[in-house]
Amino acid sequence: EAGVAQSPRYKIIEKRQSVAFWCNPISGHATLYWYQQILGQGPKLLIQFQNNGVVDDSQLPKDRFSAERLKGVDSTLKIQPAKLEDSAVYLCASSWGVSADTQYFGPGTRLTVL
Amino acid sequence: RKEVEQDPGPFNVPEGATVAFNCTYSNSASQSFFWYRQDCRKEPKLLMSVYSSGNEDGRFTAQLNRASQYISLLIRDSKLSDSATYLCVVNMRGNKLVFGAGTILRVKS
């Protein structure tokens, strides 16, 4: 079974630039999550989708971050404009249903903002 | 108070040792609890779920204490390959998982 795919794996940008990350969840998984993991911290949920609807985006900085999940499959997370404090690993995860089932994580995108 | 708190460690133990981690959570209504493992520069992976009755999987044992609002993870006969960060995860509200900052374990030969 193919796992969660993410791209790119690494990205270096300058502050105030824009960046986008892509995620393809495990086939059949209805729920998709985007997490931000800053060095030395645990993953922090940014947004959770069930199919193509948003379940929770309470911790998403909506003035600069946006995410979408068209057709209930792939998802993109965008940052515009980036700040230095956005440097982190952005992890995408998916699970079967809306309950807190096992979440399967992708390898993440490591973002460095200079 | 943080929603999920863990001792960051590191815990440095010799091979074959027994080591235990605790994790406390703030929301008494939390229903689901998990331990995830994260290797250096890798993604988190589920290690085990934590049930009210406890859960054992080989050398790993997880316990839940609802009265004191903490969960624990016990690793017996530590292996070099157990070296990793162990993340305590709590289902706080509905379907939202909150991750602790993790406890670093280093097993040395």
Side-chain angles (χ1 to χ4, degrees), chain A residues 57-112:
Chain A
D57 63 356
S58 57
Q59 297 190 102
L60 186 73
K62 298 180 185 65
D63 57 334
R64 298 184 301 106
F65 286 65
S66 64
E68 60 182 8
R69 190 183 184 195
L70 300 177
K71 301 180 182 178
V73 182
D74 293 5
S75 178
T76 56
L77 176 70
K78 297 179 181 178
I79 308 175
Q80 178 180 11
K83 293 185 175 182
L84 296 176
E85 59 261 36
D86 298 332
S87 294
V89 176
Y90 290 84
L91 293 161
C92 178
S94 68
S95 64
W96 280 109
V98 295
S99 62
D101 296 333
T102 300
Q103 293 189 19
Y104 296 87
F105 285 82
T109 297
R110 187 173 300 273
L111 174 67
T112 302

Side-chain angles (χ1 to χ4, degrees), chain B residues 38-58:
Chain B
Q38 186 170 28
D39 292 303
C40 187
R41 301 179 78 86
K42 298 287 188 179
E43 70 273 21
K45 293 184 180 179
L46 179 67
L47 178 65
M48 59 197 310
S49 302
V50 187
Y51 306 122
S52 296
S53 57
N55 190 19
E56 184 173 325
D57 183 5

Side-chain angles (χ1 to χ4, degrees), chain B residues 2-59:
Chain B
K2 290 183 180 178
E3 293 180 293
V4 178
E5 289 199 76
Q6 296 183 250
D7 181 343
F11 285 65
N12 295 300
V13 302
E15 275 186 292
T18 295
V19 62
F21 312 133
N22 281 344
C23 163
T24 59
Y25 59 95
S26 61
N27 188 340
S28 61
S30 300
Q31 294 297 316
S32 306
F33 309 88
F34 310 88
W35 284 101
Y36 275 69
R37 170 190 169 134
Q38 186 170 28
D39 292 303
C40 187
R41 301 179 78 86
K42 298 287 188 179
E43 70 273 21
K45 293 184 180 179
L46 179 67
L47 178 65
M48 59 197 310
S49 302
V50 187
Y51 306 122
S52 296
S53 57
N55 190 19
E56 184 173 325
D57 183 5
R59 298 181 293 108

